[in-house]
Amino acid sequence: MLSQLYIKNYALIEDLHADFDLGLTTITGETGAGKSILLGGLSLVLGRRIDLSNIKDPTKKSIIECVFKLDVYNLKSFFKTHDLEYESETIIRREVLPSGKSRAFINDSPVRLSVLEALGLCLVDIHSQHQTISLTSDAFQFQIIDALAKTTPLVEQYEALLTNQKVLEKELKTLEFQKQQSKNEFDYHSFLIQEIENSKVLDVDLELLESSYDTLSNVEQIQSELETSKQIIDSEQYGLNSNLLSLKQHFQKLRQISSVYSTTFERLQSLGIELDDIYSEIETAIDQLQPDPERLDGIANKLKTVRDFFDKHSVNSIESLNEVYSILKQKTALLSNCEQRLTNLNDLLSKNLEKINNISSEISEKRKEILPKLVSKMESLLLDLGMPYAKFKIEIKPSEIFLSNGKDKLSFLLKANKGGQFLSLKKGASGGELSRIMLAVKFIMSKHKQLPTIIFDEIDTGVSGEISNKMAAIMQEMSRHMQVFTITHLPQIAAKGTQHLKVFKIEKNNTTTTQLKLLTAEERLDEIAQMLGGKQITASAKAHAHQLLN
């Protein structure tokens, strides 16, 4: 609720401060006294753009400040979203500097005008005969239906599911595009992997293969060298065996003379054993070494294959080729996983779509259930408000597509006069009729939903007699559930307020200023008597005023 209003240096207001209570606050004053100025100042706090011509003294700062009590509005998430400090009593301030620059603050934190406007929509609803266009909008009409049907939580769930659906659809589209773009890459990588696997090059012992190739390529030279080595060892006259035997004989004699030579003799013995082993290995190698042109060709081809793969993948070892192979496997695995991801995503989309269809059907059914009750209530209220022949028809038809708040198309149709035809509110109702319809709508909604503070700006224009009493009763009933302000010219409505404020002008030092005053009981009696009978307060007017107040 709006608890305080402070305006400084705005239009005809020099310095004004007002406190407000819950319930119905009536505001009266002569035409031109400045009632619209109050609304203009309040609108600036609610995010409306400033008109610099409305600044009373452009050389001084203009300030409009409001204090709101927020506990009933569940706005903590709003404050968190916009990184603002939440206070149960929140101060909203708008300043216009002499330079023309405008600044906005919420609890002393500077904010953009869009944030101020968004918060303002949650706090105050200014309603006049010229501001009923929202009544004809689909969004507002759905608010009415959903408030009565208590489907707002379902609509919020639907909106979350619909948002998720759009996210999933975007992800699916992106994934399908990636799949299409990477198809050729996937095919090429798969070919390379198959090529490497078929060649079996990763199983090759390259060092052994190269050694075998060198051996088979030089088999005759190797055989010649081995035969020569064998002769060096085994020659009767100059062979190593013969000379070693002679050497052992000499050291055999020496160790008999002195044990000092025993170690050398033993080493020569070991050398003989080692030489015999070497000789045996040479003989074995000679026996095994045979020319094999066919095997040599096979090894040469295998080596060529390995080197071709090295060149193709810009590596120089089997280990590096293995790394290339692993990377290719990883890439194809990721691309293969794309198919699984697409399957999973389509599954999620299908399940989410089923949920959306189910919840939209539930919303639609609940909306349809309350239509007869709403139509009956609207027609009853409009009868009281001087529209005895008004008939409502509210139609809900299924939409072929998902809309922002469900799968329903909504039509509010009005037949305002006897013998007329049903038309949309935009075409079938005058400004005054729309104003009374809006009052009826807000009255109904106030019983089902916590509404922001509402300000009725002279919506009683052209209304008199019993209808004004009904209008006043409706406003008074609304004020039991919410804070209601009404700017009025009718004494029947003014008398229903729990507090009564008067707007008036004073002239001082050749300057006209607008003032706002909370009337005492006696002042209020006189004000209503003047509204009834003019400036000259008669006894009968005063008696009538007293009757209205009681």
Side-chain angles (χ1 to χ4, degrees):
M1 61 165 277
L2 173 62
S3 61
Q4 294 178 44
L5 172 65
Y6 174 68
I7 300 177
K8 180 179 181 179
N9 191 32
Y10 178 75
L12 296 179
I13 298 174
E14 192 171 275
D15 199 298
L16 181 149
H17 183 275
D19 295 316
F20 306 112
D21 292 329
L22 279 169
L24 176 61
T25 298
T26 56
I27 301 174
T28 59
E30 295 180 359
T31 301
K35 298 186 293 296
S36 61
I37 294 173
L38 285 175
L39 291 182
L42 183 59
S43 295
L44 293 181
V45 171
L46 302 177
R48 196 186 73 179
R49 297 199 174 275
I50 192 86
D51 181 353
L52 295 177
S53 65
N54 284 328
I55 306 304
K56 183 174 177 61
D57 184 347
T59 65
K60 296 179 181 178
K61 182 163 67 172
S62 178
I63 300 173
I64 301 95
E65 184 175 282
C66 289
V67 179
F68 288 92
K69 294 182 179 179
L70 304 185
D71 287 343
V72 297
Y73 292 119
N74 297 319
L75 288 173
K76 288 183 180 179
S77 59
F78 178 94
F79 279 72
K80 185 176 181 181
T81 299
H82 294 92
D83 197 23
L84 295 168
E85 185 177 352
Y86 177 84
E87 297 286 350
S88 59
E89 281 199 349
T90 283
I91 300 172
I92 302 177
R93 187 170 75 257
R94 189 83 180 273
E95 296 180 354
V96 183
L97 305 178
S99 63
K101 183 179 179 181
S102 170
R103 301 186 298 185
F105 302 87
I106 297 176
N107 290 330
D108 289 327
S109 296
V111 295
R112 298 189 307 275
L113 207 58
S114 58
V115 176
L116 198 65
E117 186 176 15
L119 180 59
L121 290 173
C122 301
L123 299 177
V124 179
D125 177 10
I126 297 177
H127 170 55
S128 72
Q129 283 202 14
H130 307 292
Q131 294 172 311
T132 53
I133 191 66
S134 62
L135 182 59
T136 64
S137 74
D138 285 347
F140 184 75
Q141 290 173 5
F142 271 114
Q143 280 185 38
I144 302 166
I145 300 292
D146 289 327
L148 271 69
K150 301 190 185 324
T151 46
T152 301
L154 287 174
V155 172
E156 289 172 354
Q157 291 177 39
Y158 168 88
E159 288 170 347
L161 288 168
L162 189 62
T163 299
N164 188 45
Q165 189 78 358
K166 290 176 181 177
V167 170
L168 291 173
E169 286 172 351
K170 184 177 180 181
E171 189 177 343
L172 179 66
K173 189 175 180 181
T174 301
L175 201 56
E176 286 175 338
F177 177 76
Q178 288 175 349
K179 177 189 172 184
Q180 187 62 35
Q181 290 293 102
S182 60
K183 188 178 184 306
N184 291 338
E185 185 182 358
F186 175 79
D187 291 343
Y188 180 59
H189 288 165
S190 297
F191 166 76
L192 292 177
I193 289 169
Q194 195 65 43
E195 188 180 45
I196 291 172
E197 289 175 349
N198 291 342
S199 70
K200 301 189 183 304
V201 293
L202 299 180
D203 299 328
V204 168
D205 183 336
L206 186 59
E207 187 176 346
L208 177 62
L209 196 66
E210 289 175 336
S211 175
S212 298
Y213 178 80
D214 291 340
T215 298
L216 288 173
S217 298
N218 300 281
V219 64
E220 293 179 356
Q221 182 182 349
I222 293 171
Q223 283 177 328
S224 175
E225 296 296 336
L226 287 174
E227 288 292 346
T228 301
S229 299
K230 181 180 176 183
Q231 290 176 11
I232 290 172
I233 294 172
D234 200 37
S235 172
E236 290 185 7
Q237 187 173 2
Y238 301 107
L240 290 177
N241 263 334
S242 176
N243 288 323
L244 183 59
L245 179 60
S246 176
L247 191 58
K248 284 196 292 183
Q249 289 172 349
H250 286 295
F251 271 89
Q252 173 70 16
K253 292 177 182 178
L254 286 171
R255 77 168 186 165
Q256 292 174 352
I257 298 171
S258 173
S259 60
V260 171
Y261 301 104
S262 295
T263 301
T264 305
F265 177 77
E266 290 171 0
R267 289 174 65 190
L268 289 171
Q269 284 283 78
S270 298
L271 189 59
I273 294 170
E274 184 69 21
L275 191 61
D276 287 342
D277 284 344
I278 292 172
Y279 185 81
S280 296
E281 286 180 6
I282 291 172
E283 281 191 320
T284 300
I286 291 171
D287 291 340
Q288 291 178 346
L289 192 64
Q290 297 295 330
D292 192 341
E294 187 176 338
R295 182 164 176 258
L296 180 61
D297 287 343
I299 292 174
N301 289 333
K302 192 69 173 177
L303 280 172
K304 182 178 184 306
T305 299
V306 171
R307 289 183 182 119
D308 286 345
F309 274 102
F310 282 2
D311 292 341
K312 185 170 187 174
H313 296 284
S314 301
V315 296
N316 54 15
S317 68
I318 295 294
E319 290 77 9
S320 296
L321 188 60
N322 254 308
E323 290 176 9
V324 170
Y325 175 76
S326 296
I327 291 170
L328 288 170
K329 291 285 281 184
Q330 290 170 13
K331 287 182 177 180
T332 53
L334 284 173
L335 293 171
S336 295
N337 189 41
C338 182
E339 290 290 347
Q340 186 59 49
R341 285 166 63 200
L342 280 170
T343 300
N344 293 341
L345 205 50
N346 276 306
D347 187 47
L348 284 174
L349 273 165
S350 178
K351 290 178 179 177
N352 199 66
L353 186 61
E354 184 179 359
K355 289 179 182 178
I356 292 174
N357 275 314
N358 290 339
I359 201 167
S360 63
S361 296
E362 186 179 355
I363 291 168
S364 188
E365 288 303 313
K366 287 182 178 294
R367 284 170 173 170
K368 288 174 182 176
E369 284 176 11
I370 58 90
L371 292 187
K373 180 181 176 182
L374 175 58
V375 167
S376 176
K377 188 63 178 174
M378 285 293 296
E379 290 177 352
S380 175
L381 285 168
L382 292 178
L383 175 63
D384 290 341
L385 292 172
M387 297 175 64
Y389 303 113
K391 295 294 179 184
F392 256 92
K393 184 191 290 184
I394 303 175
E395 297 177 345
I396 290 180
K397 296 179 180 178
S399 167
E400 294 180 359
I401 60 172
F402 292 114
L403 304 173
S404 62
N405 59 357
K407 211 174 179 184
D408 295 326
K409 292 189 289 186
L410 183 63
S411 300
F412 266 53
L413 304 173
L414 172 70
K415 182 166 66 173
N417 302 299
K418 200 172 186 179
Q421 58 180 336
F422 282 103
L423 298 171
S424 67
L425 292 181
K426 193 179 294 184
K427 296 178 180 179
S430 65
E433 288 169 338
L434 279 176
S435 184
R436 279 178 264 182
I437 293 170
M438 179 66 95
L439 175 60
V441 163
K442 292 294 175 69
F443 173 76
I444 294 170
M445 289 180 70
S446 69
K447 294 180 177 296
H448 299 274
K449 180 180 180 181
Q450 182 61 56
L451 297 178
T453 292
I454 190 165
I455 300 176
F456 292 111
D457 180 19
E458 299 184 352
I459 67 163
D460 51 26
T461 301
V463 173
S464 61
E466 185 59 27
I467 296 172
S468 63
N469 287 325
K470 294 288 187 180
M471 189 175 282
I474 288 173
M475 292 181 184
Q476 192 175 45
E477 177 65 22
M478 285 180 68
S479 70
R480 294 180 183 178
H481 308 282
M482 59 186 293
Q483 187 183 39
V484 179
F485 290 82
T486 179
I487 297 172
T488 181
H489 289 292
L490 297 180
Q492 293 89 342
I493 293 177
K496 288 291 193 291
T498 50
Q499 64 175 352
H500 188 154
L501 300 170
K502 182 176 181 178
V503 179
F504 59 96
K505 290 191 294 188
I506 62 171
E507 293 185 10
K508 186 178 180 180
N509 300 326
N510 296 321
T511 301
T512 302
T513 60
T514 289
Q515 301 287 324
L516 181 68
K517 181 180 181 181
L518 176 63
L519 299 181
T520 64
E522 188 62 33
E523 289 169 336
R524 188 177 189 188
L525 184 64
D526 290 343
E527 174 70 7
I528 293 174
Q530 282 187 348
M531 294 174 75
L532 286 165
K535 289 187 177 181
Q536 296 299 322
I537 301 176
T538 64
S540 62
K542 203 157 187 174
H544 191 186
H546 192 274
Q547 185 182 10
L548 286 176
L549 286 166
N550 288 287

